[in-house]
Amino acid sequence: MSDGTSPALAVSALTKSYGSVVAVDDVTLEVADGQRLAVIGPNGAGKSTLFALVAGTLRPTAGAVSLFGEDVTRLRDHQRARRGLVKTFQHSSVFTAMTLLDNVLLSTQRTHGRASRPFGRSNRLAVEAARRSLEQVGLADRAGVLAGSLSHGERRQLEVALALGVNPRVLMLDEPTAGMSAAETERFVQLISGLPREITVLIIEHDLDVVFSVADRVTVMHLGAVIESGTPDEVRASELVQQTYLGATPEFSDLTQGGTLR
């Protein structure tokens, strides 16, 4: 449990270099317990590298990552997951030949255990938890269908259900709405907005409509470094963001009224 004083997630002077190329440059940020933080920036800004460093799939060149006050810098991604740091990726990772319920059971069985007898039915608590996860993402009525029959947006919903199945404390989403239709994106925004505040959310996203709909705070990256961080209104109004990140105030204004960063 959180001690009530430590942030859910803290990144301190995090750096990742590849020879002379610095992909993430001395990044420091905090995500408060229950907060929704969006990280935005153009292609090449270092967002996905930062995501991988926080998730534990990449080792930093320097700096530290802590989870509810615990230093997890040296822990691998699966070890961080056991502590409640759960991630989804840009590309779908569901089992298409399995039903939605069976997909989510792979997650919930990690928490509630498998059947007591080999080849027996799944643990009742695991099944109940899987159905709750599907209900949370709006797929309860599709529990028995094969994941391969889902639309792109529905697969992303299923991935969130998989993440919810392990009771995350911090949920990390990497470009979750990429490739979605407008209707799918709207449903996904509603899904994220409806998550309980016991779950902290870190989202990397290009779509500014999504960002300004779900985020409490926004961090802007450019060339591997953080150039601004604040509330959505503060980021919208930031002259530094307007000049340095997008290069022109009208362009930024147009995008914040509804658009996508490419």
Side-chain angles (χ1 to χ4, degrees), residues 94-108 126-127 129-135 137-151 153-159 161-162:
V94 303
F95 293 95
T96 57
M98 297 171 61
T99 67
L100 275 61
L101 182 63
D102 285 340
N103 265 273
V104 184
L105 273 170
L106 294 174
S107 294
T108 59
V127 173
R131 291 191 182 280
R132 283 196 302 272
S133 295
L134 287 171
E135 185 174 0
V137 303
L139 292 175
D141 61 340
R142 311 289 302 280
V145 307
L146 295 180
S149 68
L150 299 181
S151 69
E154 288 171 332
R155 289 192 189 192
R156 302 317 300 259
Q157 290 172 252
L158 177 58
E159 288 172 347
L162 285 163

Side-chain angles (χ1 to χ4, degrees), residues 27-97:
V27 168
T28 294
L29 59 83
E30 291 187 352
V31 191
D33 194 2
Q35 194 173 66
R36 280 83 173 100
L37 173 69
V39 178
I40 66 174
N43 291 333
K47 307 183 303 299
S48 292
T49 303
L50 176 65
F51 185 97
L53 292 171
V54 174
T57 54
L58 270 183
R59 290 294 182 93
T61 304
V65 179
S66 65
L67 184 66
F68 293 98
E70 178 188 1
D71 188 338
V72 296
T73 311
R74 295 182 179 276
L75 299 185
R76 297 184 181 277
D77 55 346
H78 66 276
Q79 294 171 311
R80 298 183 196 195
R82 291 194 189 106
R83 287 161 172 78
L85 182 64
V86 181
K87 59 189 181 295
T88 69
F89 292 106
Q90 290 187 37
H91 304 291
S92 180
S93 57
V94 303
F95 293 95
T96 57

